[in-house]
Short mmCIF file of all heavy atoms in Angstrom, two decimals:
data_model
loop_
_atom_site.label_atom_id
_atom_site.label_comp_id
_atom_site.label_asym_id
_atom_site.label_seq_id
_atom_site.Cartn_x
_atom_site.Cartn_y
_atom_site.Cartn_z
N ALA A 1 -19.81 121.86 -0.40
CA ALA A 1 -19.37 120.66 -1.14
C ALA A 1 -17.87 120.68 -1.34
O ALA A 1 -17.28 121.76 -1.51
CB ALA A 1 -20.07 120.58 -2.50
N SER A 2 -17.25 119.55 -1.37
CA SER A 2 -15.81 119.46 -1.63
C SER A 2 -15.56 119.70 -3.08
O SER A 2 -16.43 119.61 -3.90
CB SER A 2 -15.28 118.07 -1.22
OG SER A 2 -15.72 117.14 -2.15
N SER A 3 -14.29 120.04 -3.40
CA SER A 3 -13.94 120.33 -4.80
C SER A 3 -14.12 119.06 -5.64
O SER A 3 -14.54 119.14 -6.78
CB SER A 3 -12.53 120.86 -4.93
OG SER A 3 -11.61 119.95 -4.40
N SER A 4 -13.89 117.91 -5.06
CA SER A 4 -14.02 116.69 -5.86
C SER A 4 -15.46 116.40 -6.21
O SER A 4 -15.76 116.01 -7.30
CB SER A 4 -13.40 115.49 -5.16
OG SER A 4 -14.05 115.26 -3.95
N SER A 5 -16.40 116.74 -5.28
CA SER A 5 -17.83 116.47 -5.64
C SER A 5 -18.30 117.49 -6.66
O SER A 5 -19.14 117.18 -7.50
CB SER A 5 -18.69 116.39 -4.43
OG SER A 5 -18.74 117.67 -3.77
N SER A 6 -17.82 118.78 -6.61
CA SER A 6 -18.26 119.70 -7.63
C SER A 6 -17.71 119.31 -8.98
O SER A 6 -18.43 119.44 -9.99
CB SER A 6 -17.87 121.13 -7.35
OG SER A 6 -17.26 121.30 -6.15
N THR A 7 -16.53 118.80 -9.05
CA THR A 7 -15.97 118.37 -10.30
C THR A 7 -16.76 117.19 -10.83
O THR A 7 -17.16 117.15 -12.01
CB THR A 7 -14.47 117.92 -10.12
OG1 THR A 7 -13.73 119.06 -9.65
CG2 THR A 7 -13.91 117.43 -11.42
N ALA A 8 -17.13 116.26 -9.98
CA ALA A 8 -17.86 115.08 -10.44
C ALA A 8 -19.26 115.52 -10.95
O ALA A 8 -19.73 114.98 -11.94
CB ALA A 8 -18.03 114.09 -9.30
N ALA A 9 -19.87 116.53 -10.33
CA ALA A 9 -21.18 116.97 -10.76
C ALA A 9 -21.12 117.74 -12.06
O ALA A 9 -22.03 117.72 -12.90
CB ALA A 9 -21.83 117.80 -9.66
N GLY A 10 -20.06 118.54 -12.28
CA GLY A 10 -20.01 119.44 -13.42
C GLY A 10 -19.27 118.93 -14.63
O GLY A 10 -19.48 119.50 -15.70
N THR A 11 -18.47 117.92 -14.53
CA THR A 11 -17.70 117.48 -15.65
C THR A 11 -17.95 116.01 -15.98
O THR A 11 -17.70 115.11 -15.17
CB THR A 11 -16.16 117.59 -15.32
OG1 THR A 11 -15.92 118.95 -14.89
CG2 THR A 11 -15.30 117.29 -16.51
N PRO A 12 -18.51 115.74 -17.14
CA PRO A 12 -18.75 114.31 -17.52
C PRO A 12 -17.44 113.60 -17.64
O PRO A 12 -16.43 114.13 -18.14
CB PRO A 12 -19.42 114.43 -18.89
CG PRO A 12 -19.81 115.84 -19.11
CD PRO A 12 -18.91 116.66 -18.24
N ILE A 13 -17.40 112.33 -17.22
CA ILE A 13 -16.24 111.51 -17.43
C ILE A 13 -16.07 111.17 -18.90
O ILE A 13 -14.97 111.14 -19.43
CB ILE A 13 -16.35 110.21 -16.59
CG1 ILE A 13 -16.20 110.53 -15.13
CG2 ILE A 13 -15.33 109.16 -17.01
CD1 ILE A 13 -16.55 109.39 -14.21
N ASN A 14 -17.20 110.93 -19.57
CA ASN A 14 -17.20 110.58 -20.99
C ASN A 14 -17.43 111.86 -21.82
O ASN A 14 -18.57 112.38 -21.87
CB ASN A 14 -18.33 109.57 -21.23
CG ASN A 14 -18.51 109.23 -22.70
OD1 ASN A 14 -17.67 109.58 -23.52
ND2 ASN A 14 -19.59 108.59 -23.00
N PRO A 15 -16.40 112.33 -22.57
CA PRO A 15 -16.61 113.51 -23.35
C PRO A 15 -17.30 113.29 -24.68
O PRO A 15 -17.91 114.23 -25.18
CB PRO A 15 -15.13 113.98 -23.60
CG PRO A 15 -14.32 112.78 -23.53
CD PRO A 15 -15.05 111.85 -22.57
N SER A 16 -17.27 112.10 -25.27
CA SER A 16 -17.76 112.00 -26.62
C SER A 16 -18.32 110.65 -27.11
O SER A 16 -18.81 110.55 -28.22
CB SER A 16 -16.61 112.42 -27.59
OG SER A 16 -15.52 111.56 -27.42
N ILE A 17 -18.21 109.62 -26.29
CA ILE A 17 -18.58 108.26 -26.77
C ILE A 17 -20.05 107.98 -26.62
O ILE A 17 -20.58 108.03 -25.52
CB ILE A 17 -17.71 107.21 -26.07
CG1 ILE A 17 -16.23 107.37 -26.45
CG2 ILE A 17 -18.20 105.79 -26.42
CD1 ILE A 17 -15.29 106.63 -25.58
N LYS A 18 -20.71 107.68 -27.74
CA LYS A 18 -22.13 107.25 -27.79
C LYS A 18 -22.99 108.17 -26.90
O LYS A 18 -23.80 107.68 -26.07
CB LYS A 18 -22.27 105.81 -27.32
CG LYS A 18 -21.54 104.81 -28.21
CD LYS A 18 -21.74 103.40 -27.69
CE LYS A 18 -20.89 102.37 -28.44
NZ LYS A 18 -20.96 101.03 -27.85
N LYS A 19 -22.89 109.48 -27.01
CA LYS A 19 -23.56 110.41 -26.14
C LYS A 19 -25.07 110.37 -26.35
O LYS A 19 -25.87 110.85 -25.52
CB LYS A 19 -23.05 111.84 -26.35
CG LYS A 19 -21.60 112.02 -25.91
CD LYS A 19 -21.30 111.58 -24.49
CE LYS A 19 -21.64 112.67 -23.49
NZ LYS A 19 -21.19 112.26 -22.12
N GLN A 20 -25.53 109.76 -27.51
CA GLN A 20 -26.96 109.67 -27.74
C GLN A 20 -27.63 108.57 -26.91
O GLN A 20 -28.86 108.50 -26.78
CB GLN A 20 -27.26 109.46 -29.21
CG GLN A 20 -26.91 108.11 -29.79
CD GLN A 20 -25.36 107.91 -30.08
OE1 GLN A 20 -24.56 108.76 -29.71
NE2 GLN A 20 -25.00 106.80 -30.69
N GLU A 21 -26.78 107.75 -26.30
CA GLU A 21 -27.31 106.65 -25.47
C GLU A 21 -27.39 107.08 -24.00
O GLU A 21 -26.53 107.83 -23.52
CB GLU A 21 -26.42 105.38 -25.62
CG GLU A 21 -26.43 104.84 -27.01
CD GLU A 21 -25.63 103.59 -27.17
OE1 GLU A 21 -25.19 102.97 -26.16
OE2 GLU A 21 -25.32 103.22 -28.33
N ALA A 22 -28.42 106.57 -23.27
CA ALA A 22 -28.56 106.92 -21.86
C ALA A 22 -27.42 106.36 -21.00
O ALA A 22 -27.07 106.96 -20.00
CB ALA A 22 -29.94 106.41 -21.36
N LYS A 23 -26.90 105.23 -21.46
CA LYS A 23 -25.84 104.59 -20.70
C LYS A 23 -25.03 103.75 -21.68
O LYS A 23 -25.56 103.02 -22.48
CB LYS A 23 -26.45 103.70 -19.63
CG LYS A 23 -25.47 102.93 -18.79
CD LYS A 23 -26.12 102.31 -17.55
CE LYS A 23 -27.12 101.25 -17.90
NZ LYS A 23 -27.70 100.61 -16.70
N VAL A 24 -23.72 103.85 -21.62
CA VAL A 24 -22.83 103.06 -22.48
C VAL A 24 -22.42 101.77 -21.79
O VAL A 24 -21.80 101.79 -20.75
CB VAL A 24 -21.54 103.85 -22.86
CG1 VAL A 24 -20.69 103.04 -23.81
CG2 VAL A 24 -21.90 105.22 -23.45
N VAL A 25 -22.88 100.69 -22.37
CA VAL A 25 -22.53 99.36 -21.81
C VAL A 25 -21.89 98.53 -22.90
O VAL A 25 -22.41 98.48 -24.04
CB VAL A 25 -23.81 98.64 -21.28
CG1 VAL A 25 -23.50 97.26 -20.79
CG2 VAL A 25 -24.48 99.45 -20.20
N ASP A 26 -20.80 97.87 -22.62
CA ASP A 26 -20.19 96.96 -23.57
C ASP A 26 -20.05 95.55 -22.94
O ASP A 26 -19.72 95.48 -21.75
CB ASP A 26 -18.80 97.49 -23.95
CG ASP A 26 -18.89 98.80 -24.70
OD1 ASP A 26 -19.33 98.75 -25.89
OD2 ASP A 26 -18.55 99.85 -24.13
N THR A 27 -20.29 94.56 -23.74
CA THR A 27 -20.19 93.18 -23.29
C THR A 27 -19.03 92.50 -24.03
O THR A 27 -18.98 92.64 -25.25
CB THR A 27 -21.51 92.40 -23.53
OG1 THR A 27 -22.53 93.10 -22.82
CG2 THR A 27 -21.38 90.99 -23.03
N VAL A 28 -18.17 91.82 -23.31
CA VAL A 28 -17.08 91.08 -23.91
C VAL A 28 -17.27 89.63 -23.56
O VAL A 28 -17.31 89.25 -22.37
CB VAL A 28 -15.71 91.59 -23.40
CG1 VAL A 28 -14.59 90.75 -23.94
CG2 VAL A 28 -15.54 93.05 -23.67
N LEU A 29 -17.35 88.78 -24.56
CA LEU A 29 -17.40 87.31 -24.32
C LEU A 29 -15.96 86.87 -24.23
O LEU A 29 -15.18 86.99 -25.18
CB LEU A 29 -18.10 86.60 -25.47
CG LEU A 29 -19.64 86.70 -25.52
CD1 LEU A 29 -20.18 85.93 -26.69
CD2 LEU A 29 -20.22 86.21 -24.20
N ILE A 30 -15.58 86.36 -23.08
CA ILE A 30 -14.20 85.94 -22.86
C ILE A 30 -13.79 84.90 -23.90
O ILE A 30 -12.67 84.92 -24.38
CB ILE A 30 -14.06 85.35 -21.44
CG1 ILE A 30 -14.37 86.42 -20.37
CG2 ILE A 30 -12.66 84.79 -21.19
CD1 ILE A 30 -13.53 87.64 -20.44
N SER A 31 -14.71 84.05 -24.32
CA SER A 31 -14.41 83.05 -25.31
C SER A 31 -14.11 83.65 -26.67
O SER A 31 -13.48 83.01 -27.51
CB SER A 31 -15.55 82.05 -25.44
OG SER A 31 -16.76 82.72 -25.74
N ASP A 32 -14.48 84.91 -26.89
CA ASP A 32 -14.20 85.57 -28.17
C ASP A 32 -12.87 86.27 -28.20
O ASP A 32 -12.49 86.85 -29.24
CB ASP A 32 -15.31 86.59 -28.49
CG ASP A 32 -16.61 85.92 -28.98
OD1 ASP A 32 -16.58 84.72 -29.21
OD2 ASP A 32 -17.63 86.62 -29.06
N LEU A 33 -12.21 86.35 -27.09
CA LEU A 33 -10.88 87.01 -27.08
C LEU A 33 -9.95 86.29 -28.03
O LEU A 33 -9.71 85.09 -27.87
CB LEU A 33 -10.26 87.00 -25.65
CG LEU A 33 -10.81 88.00 -24.65
CD1 LEU A 33 -10.05 87.86 -23.35
CD2 LEU A 33 -10.67 89.43 -25.17
N ARG A 34 -9.38 87.05 -29.00
CA ARG A 34 -8.49 86.38 -29.94
C ARG A 34 -7.06 86.57 -29.59
O ARG A 34 -6.19 85.74 -29.95
CB ARG A 34 -8.74 86.98 -31.37
CG ARG A 34 -9.94 86.26 -32.05
CD ARG A 34 -10.38 87.04 -33.27
NE ARG A 34 -10.81 88.42 -32.88
CZ ARG A 34 -11.19 89.31 -33.73
NH1 ARG A 34 -11.17 89.09 -35.01
NH2 ARG A 34 -11.60 90.47 -33.32
N LYS A 35 -6.75 87.67 -28.91
CA LYS A 35 -5.36 87.90 -28.51
C LYS A 35 -5.15 87.38 -27.08
O LYS A 35 -6.06 87.39 -26.29
CB LYS A 35 -5.05 89.41 -28.52
CG LYS A 35 -5.07 90.05 -29.86
CD LYS A 35 -4.69 91.50 -29.69
CE LYS A 35 -4.71 92.29 -30.96
NZ LYS A 35 -4.47 93.76 -30.63
N PRO A 36 -3.92 87.00 -26.78
CA PRO A 36 -3.61 86.58 -25.38
C PRO A 36 -3.73 87.72 -24.36
O PRO A 36 -4.00 87.49 -23.21
CB PRO A 36 -2.16 86.04 -25.45
CG PRO A 36 -1.61 86.54 -26.74
CD PRO A 36 -2.76 86.85 -27.65
N LEU A 37 -3.61 88.95 -24.85
CA LEU A 37 -3.69 90.15 -23.99
C LEU A 37 -4.47 91.19 -24.76
O LEU A 37 -4.03 91.56 -25.88
CB LEU A 37 -2.29 90.63 -23.62
CG LEU A 37 -2.22 91.79 -22.65
CD1 LEU A 37 -2.69 91.37 -21.26
CD2 LEU A 37 -0.80 92.33 -22.57
N GLN A 38 -5.54 91.70 -24.22
CA GLN A 38 -6.32 92.69 -24.90
C GLN A 38 -6.61 93.86 -23.92
O GLN A 38 -7.05 93.61 -22.77
CB GLN A 38 -7.67 92.13 -25.39
CG GLN A 38 -8.51 93.09 -26.19
CD GLN A 38 -7.97 93.41 -27.58
OE1 GLN A 38 -7.91 92.57 -28.42
NE2 GLN A 38 -7.46 94.62 -27.73
N ALA A 39 -6.34 95.07 -24.32
CA ALA A 39 -6.50 96.25 -23.46
C ALA A 39 -7.84 96.95 -23.73
O ALA A 39 -8.15 97.29 -24.89
CB ALA A 39 -5.34 97.21 -23.69
N TYR A 40 -8.62 97.20 -22.68
CA TYR A 40 -9.87 97.91 -22.81
C TYR A 40 -9.78 99.28 -22.16
O TYR A 40 -9.23 99.40 -21.04
CB TYR A 40 -11.00 97.09 -22.17
CG TYR A 40 -11.40 95.93 -23.02
CD1 TYR A 40 -10.67 94.74 -23.00
CD2 TYR A 40 -12.44 96.03 -23.97
CE1 TYR A 40 -11.00 93.69 -23.86
CE2 TYR A 40 -12.73 94.98 -24.86
CZ TYR A 40 -12.01 93.83 -24.75
OH TYR A 40 -12.33 92.79 -25.59
N CYS A 41 -10.32 100.27 -22.84
CA CYS A 41 -10.17 101.66 -22.40
C CYS A 41 -10.97 101.95 -21.14
O CYS A 41 -12.14 101.58 -21.02
CB CYS A 41 -10.71 102.57 -23.55
SG CYS A 41 -10.61 104.33 -23.14
N ARG A 42 -10.36 102.69 -20.25
CA ARG A 42 -11.03 103.20 -19.04
C ARG A 42 -10.98 104.72 -18.95
O ARG A 42 -11.42 105.29 -17.98
CB ARG A 42 -10.47 102.55 -17.74
CG ARG A 42 -10.73 101.09 -17.68
CD ARG A 42 -10.41 100.53 -16.34
NE ARG A 42 -9.03 100.61 -16.02
CZ ARG A 42 -8.47 100.08 -14.93
NH1 ARG A 42 -9.23 99.39 -14.09
NH2 ARG A 42 -7.23 100.21 -14.68
N CYS A 43 -10.34 105.35 -19.97
CA CYS A 43 -10.23 106.83 -19.91
C CYS A 43 -11.33 107.49 -20.73
O CYS A 43 -11.44 108.72 -20.69
CB CYS A 43 -8.82 107.28 -20.39
SG CYS A 43 -8.62 107.23 -22.19
N TRP A 44 -12.07 106.77 -21.49
CA TRP A 44 -13.17 107.26 -22.28
C TRP A 44 -12.73 108.19 -23.41
O TRP A 44 -13.49 109.02 -23.88
CB TRP A 44 -14.20 107.98 -21.39
CG TRP A 44 -14.93 107.03 -20.52
CD1 TRP A 44 -14.54 106.61 -19.27
CD2 TRP A 44 -16.16 106.31 -20.80
NE1 TRP A 44 -15.46 105.69 -18.81
CE2 TRP A 44 -16.43 105.53 -19.72
CE3 TRP A 44 -17.00 106.27 -21.94
CZ2 TRP A 44 -17.55 104.67 -19.67
CZ3 TRP A 44 -18.10 105.48 -21.89
CH2 TRP A 44 -18.38 104.68 -20.80
N ARG A 45 -11.48 108.03 -23.86
CA ARG A 45 -10.98 108.91 -24.92
C ARG A 45 -10.44 108.12 -26.10
O ARG A 45 -9.91 108.73 -27.06
CB ARG A 45 -9.91 109.84 -24.32
CG ARG A 45 -10.55 111.00 -23.61
CD ARG A 45 -9.68 111.58 -22.49
NE ARG A 45 -10.40 112.64 -21.85
CZ ARG A 45 -11.32 112.44 -20.86
NH1 ARG A 45 -11.57 111.24 -20.46
NH2 ARG A 45 -11.95 113.47 -20.32
N SER A 46 -10.53 106.80 -26.08
CA SER A 46 -10.00 106.00 -27.16
C SER A 46 -10.82 106.14 -28.43
O SER A 46 -12.05 106.20 -28.38
CB SER A 46 -10.00 104.53 -26.77
OG SER A 46 -9.63 103.71 -27.89
N LYS A 47 -10.17 106.22 -29.60
CA LYS A 47 -10.86 106.30 -30.87
C LYS A 47 -11.40 104.86 -31.25
O LYS A 47 -12.16 104.73 -32.18
CB LYS A 47 -9.94 106.74 -31.99
CG LYS A 47 -9.41 108.18 -31.79
CD LYS A 47 -10.43 109.24 -32.13
CE LYS A 47 -9.90 110.66 -32.03
NZ LYS A 47 -9.71 111.08 -30.63
N THR A 48 -10.95 103.86 -30.51
CA THR A 48 -11.43 102.49 -30.80
C THR A 48 -12.17 101.90 -29.61
O THR A 48 -12.23 100.70 -29.45
CB THR A 48 -10.20 101.60 -31.12
OG1 THR A 48 -9.31 101.62 -30.01
CG2 THR A 48 -9.47 102.05 -32.35
N PHE A 49 -12.78 102.78 -28.81
CA PHE A 49 -13.52 102.37 -27.63
C PHE A 49 -14.50 101.22 -27.99
O PHE A 49 -15.19 101.33 -29.02
CB PHE A 49 -14.33 103.57 -27.08
CG PHE A 49 -14.87 103.33 -25.70
CD1 PHE A 49 -14.10 103.71 -24.58
CD2 PHE A 49 -16.09 102.79 -25.51
CE1 PHE A 49 -14.59 103.51 -23.26
CE2 PHE A 49 -16.61 102.57 -24.21
CZ PHE A 49 -15.86 102.93 -23.15
N PRO A 50 -14.62 100.14 -27.22
CA PRO A 50 -14.12 100.03 -25.89
C PRO A 50 -12.64 99.55 -25.79
O PRO A 50 -12.16 99.34 -24.68
CB PRO A 50 -15.04 98.99 -25.26
CG PRO A 50 -15.44 98.10 -26.42
CD PRO A 50 -15.49 99.01 -27.59
N LEU A 51 -11.99 99.37 -26.94
CA LEU A 51 -10.58 98.98 -26.91
C LEU A 51 -9.71 100.20 -26.63
O LEU A 51 -10.02 101.31 -27.08
CB LEU A 51 -10.16 98.30 -28.19
CG LEU A 51 -10.90 97.03 -28.54
CD1 LEU A 51 -10.37 96.48 -29.90
CD2 LEU A 51 -10.74 95.99 -27.49
N CYS A 52 -8.63 99.99 -25.92
CA CYS A 52 -7.61 101.09 -25.68
C CYS A 52 -6.80 101.31 -26.93
O CYS A 52 -6.37 100.33 -27.58
CB CYS A 52 -6.71 100.64 -24.53
SG CYS A 52 -5.25 101.63 -24.28
N ASP A 53 -6.59 102.56 -27.30
CA ASP A 53 -5.70 102.90 -28.42
C ASP A 53 -4.48 103.71 -27.98
O ASP A 53 -3.75 104.25 -28.79
CB ASP A 53 -6.43 103.60 -29.55
CG ASP A 53 -6.86 105.02 -29.16
OD1 ASP A 53 -6.66 105.42 -27.98
OD2 ASP A 53 -7.35 105.73 -30.06
N GLY A 54 -4.27 103.79 -26.68
CA GLY A 54 -3.10 104.49 -26.15
C GLY A 54 -3.34 105.99 -25.86
O GLY A 54 -2.44 106.68 -25.34
N THR A 55 -4.56 106.48 -26.18
CA THR A 55 -4.84 107.91 -25.96
C THR A 55 -4.77 108.34 -24.48
O THR A 55 -4.51 109.50 -24.21
CB THR A 55 -6.23 108.23 -26.51
OG1 THR A 55 -6.29 107.92 -27.89
CG2 THR A 55 -6.62 109.69 -26.32
N HIS A 56 -4.87 107.36 -23.57
CA HIS A 56 -4.79 107.70 -22.16
C HIS A 56 -3.43 108.34 -21.81
O HIS A 56 -3.36 109.16 -20.91
CB HIS A 56 -4.99 106.44 -21.31
CG HIS A 56 -3.96 105.35 -21.57
ND1 HIS A 56 -4.21 104.31 -22.45
CD2 HIS A 56 -2.71 105.20 -21.13
CE1 HIS A 56 -3.15 103.53 -22.51
NE2 HIS A 56 -2.22 104.07 -21.74
N ALA A 57 -2.38 108.02 -22.56
CA ALA A 57 -1.04 108.58 -22.26
C ALA A 57 -1.06 110.10 -22.53
O ALA A 57 -0.53 110.87 -21.70
CB ALA A 57 0.02 107.94 -23.14
N LYS A 58 -1.70 110.53 -23.60
CA LYS A 58 -1.84 111.94 -23.90
C LYS A 58 -2.69 112.68 -22.82
O LYS A 58 -2.35 113.74 -22.35
CB LYS A 58 -2.52 112.09 -25.28
CG LYS A 58 -2.68 113.51 -25.78
CD LYS A 58 -3.16 113.53 -27.26
CE LYS A 58 -3.46 114.89 -27.76
NZ LYS A 58 -4.88 115.27 -27.46
N HIS A 59 -3.79 112.03 -22.47
CA HIS A 59 -4.71 112.59 -21.44
C HIS A 59 -3.93 112.73 -20.12
O HIS A 59 -3.99 113.79 -19.46
CB HIS A 59 -5.91 111.66 -21.28
CG HIS A 59 -6.71 111.93 -20.02
ND1 HIS A 59 -7.56 113.00 -19.90
CD2 HIS A 59 -6.69 111.28 -18.82
CE1 HIS A 59 -8.10 112.98 -18.70
NE2 HIS A 59 -7.60 111.95 -18.02
N ASN A 60 -3.19 111.71 -19.76
CA ASN A 60 -2.44 111.80 -18.48
C ASN A 60 -1.40 112.91 -18.51
O ASN A 60 -1.24 113.63 -17.54
CB ASN A 60 -1.78 110.44 -18.19
CG ASN A 60 -2.76 109.39 -17.76
OD1 ASN A 60 -3.88 109.70 -17.38
ND2 ASN A 60 -2.37 108.14 -17.82
N LYS A 61 -0.72 113.03 -19.65
CA LYS A 61 0.30 114.05 -19.76
C LYS A 61 -0.29 115.47 -19.66
O LYS A 61 0.24 116.33 -19.03
CB LYS A 61 1.05 113.88 -21.12
CG LYS A 61 2.37 114.58 -21.16
CD LYS A 61 3.10 114.29 -22.46
CE LYS A 61 4.41 115.09 -22.49
NZ LYS A 61 5.06 115.02 -23.81
N GLU A 62 -1.47 115.65 -20.33
CA GLU A 62 -2.07 116.98 -20.36
C GLU A 62 -2.73 117.38 -19.04
O GLU A 62 -2.85 118.55 -18.71
CB GLU A 62 -3.14 117.00 -21.46
CG GLU A 62 -2.54 117.03 -22.87
CD GLU A 62 -3.58 116.90 -23.97
OE1 GLU A 62 -4.80 116.74 -23.65
OE2 GLU A 62 -3.21 116.95 -25.15
N THR A 63 -3.22 116.38 -18.29
CA THR A 63 -4.03 116.69 -17.11
C THR A 63 -3.39 116.32 -15.79
O THR A 63 -3.91 116.68 -14.72
CB THR A 63 -5.37 115.97 -17.21
OG1 THR A 63 -5.11 114.57 -17.16
CG2 THR A 63 -6.14 116.32 -18.47
N GLY A 64 -2.32 115.52 -15.80
CA GLY A 64 -1.76 115.02 -14.57
C GLY A 64 -2.54 113.86 -14.00
O GLY A 64 -2.32 113.41 -12.87
N ASP A 65 -3.49 113.33 -14.78
CA ASP A 65 -4.25 112.16 -14.38
C ASP A 65 -3.39 110.88 -14.48
O ASP A 65 -2.23 110.95 -14.92
CB ASP A 65 -5.48 112.03 -15.27
CG ASP A 65 -6.70 111.41 -14.56
OD1 ASP A 65 -6.50 110.79 -13.51
OD2 ASP A 65 -7.80 111.56 -15.11
N ASN A 66 -3.92 109.76 -14.00
CA ASN A 66 -3.09 108.55 -14.03
C ASN A 66 -3.91 107.34 -14.50
O ASN A 66 -3.72 106.22 -14.05
CB ASN A 66 -2.51 108.29 -12.62
CG ASN A 66 -3.61 107.96 -11.57
OD1 ASN A 66 -4.78 108.23 -11.86
ND2 ASN A 66 -3.24 107.42 -10.47
N VAL A 67 -4.81 107.55 -15.44
CA VAL A 67 -5.70 106.46 -15.87
C VAL A 67 -5.04 105.54 -16.89
O VAL A 67 -4.09 105.96 -17.59
CB VAL A 67 -7.02 107.01 -16.47
CG1 VAL A 67 -7.85 107.71 -15.40
CG2 VAL A 67 -6.76 107.92 -17.64
N GLY A 68 -5.51 104.34 -16.93
CA GLY A 68 -4.94 103.32 -17.86
C GLY A 68 -5.97 102.25 -18.15
O GLY A 68 -7.06 102.25 -17.54
N PRO A 69 -5.67 101.33 -19.03
CA PRO A 69 -6.61 100.33 -19.49
C PRO A 69 -6.81 99.20 -18.50
O PRO A 69 -6.05 98.97 -17.61
CB PRO A 69 -5.98 99.80 -20.81
CG PRO A 69 -4.53 99.93 -20.56
CD PRO A 69 -4.34 101.18 -19.73
N LEU A 70 -7.95 98.47 -18.77
CA LEU A 70 -8.16 97.18 -18.17
C LEU A 70 -7.59 96.13 -19.09
O LEU A 70 -7.93 96.08 -20.29
CB LEU A 70 -9.67 96.94 -17.94
CG LEU A 70 -10.12 95.53 -17.59
CD1 LEU A 70 -9.65 95.18 -16.18
CD2 LEU A 70 -11.60 95.36 -17.75
N LEU A 71 -6.65 95.30 -18.61
CA LEU A 71 -6.07 94.23 -19.46
C LEU A 71 -6.74 92.92 -19.24
O LEU A 71 -6.83 92.45 -18.09
CB LEU A 71 -4.56 94.14 -19.16
CG LEU A 71 -3.73 95.39 -19.36
CD1 LEU A 71 -2.28 95.08 -18.98
CD2 LEU A 71 -3.82 95.85 -20.84
N LEU A 72 -7.26 92.34 -20.30
CA LEU A 72 -7.83 90.99 -20.20
C LEU A 72 -6.81 90.03 -20.77
O LEU A 72 -6.37 90.19 -21.90
CB LEU A 72 -9.15 90.90 -20.98
CG LEU A 72 -10.33 91.72 -20.47
CD1 LEU A 72 -11.57 91.34 -21.23
CD2 LEU A 72 -10.54 91.58 -18.97
N LYS A 73 -6.44 89.06 -19.93
CA LYS A 73 -5.44 88.07 -20.32
C LYS A 73 -6.11 86.72 -20.51
O LYS A 73 -6.92 86.30 -19.67
CB LYS A 73 -4.36 87.95 -19.25
CG LYS A 73 -3.34 89.00 -19.22
CD LYS A 73 -2.47 88.85 -17.99
CE LYS A 73 -0.97 89.12 -18.27
NZ LYS A 73 -0.20 88.96 -17.06
N LYS A 74 -5.71 86.05 -21.59
CA LYS A 74 -6.26 84.74 -21.80
C LYS A 74 -5.50 83.70 -20.98
O LYS A 74 -4.28 83.79 -20.86
CB LYS A 74 -6.11 84.41 -23.30
CG LYS A 74 -7.31 83.71 -23.86
CD LYS A 74 -7.19 83.60 -25.37
CE LYS A 74 -8.51 83.02 -25.90
NZ LYS A 74 -8.51 82.94 -27.36
FE1 FES B 101 -8.38 104.89 -22.78
FE2 FES B 101 -6.07 103.61 -23.11
S1 FES B 101 -7.08 104.89 -24.50
S2 FES B 101 -7.35 103.62 -21.40
#
């Protein structure tokens, strides 16, 4: 196996969010967006998940990763 597939098999992407659930799914109604620009977390480390709180910057600095949010624009 390649190193990337062993990493994928051994390390969860999600370290702590809703671990009691079989699958974490969030639904966003576009009509409910109140801000013209809203950032949604894709690093699974935000304290305000599913919204981005900027924690990805710390994760990227510590690991050399390059993850960032999904931006929804009105
Ligand atoms: Fe996760 Fe920003 S905190 S993408």
Side-chain angles (χ1 to χ4, degrees):
S2 72
S3 60
S4 60
S5 65
S6 355
T7 299
T11 308
I13 290 171
N14 174 13
S16 59
I17 294 165
K18 299 180 186 174
K19 295 306 275 188
Q20 71 281 8
E21 296 182 13
K23 178 168 65 178
V24 181
V25 176
D26 295 290
T27 300
V28 177
L29 285 180
I30 299 300
S31 56
D32 284 350
L33 282 181
R34 277 167 298 178
K35 293 183 183 173
L37 185 67
Q38 184 71 69
Y40 285 85
C41 179
R42 294 193 295 187
C43 76
W44 291 88
R45 281 153 181 84
S46 173
K47 297 282 185 287
T48 58
F49 195 91
L51 299 178
C52 168
D53 70 353
T55 301
H56 59 264
K58 182 172 174 272
H59 165 77
N60 286 344
K61 197 175 177 190
E62 287 173 358
T63 63
D65 211 343
N66 66 345
V67 295
L70 168 70
L71 300 179
L72 294 189
K73 282 173 140 179
K74 222 171 185 177

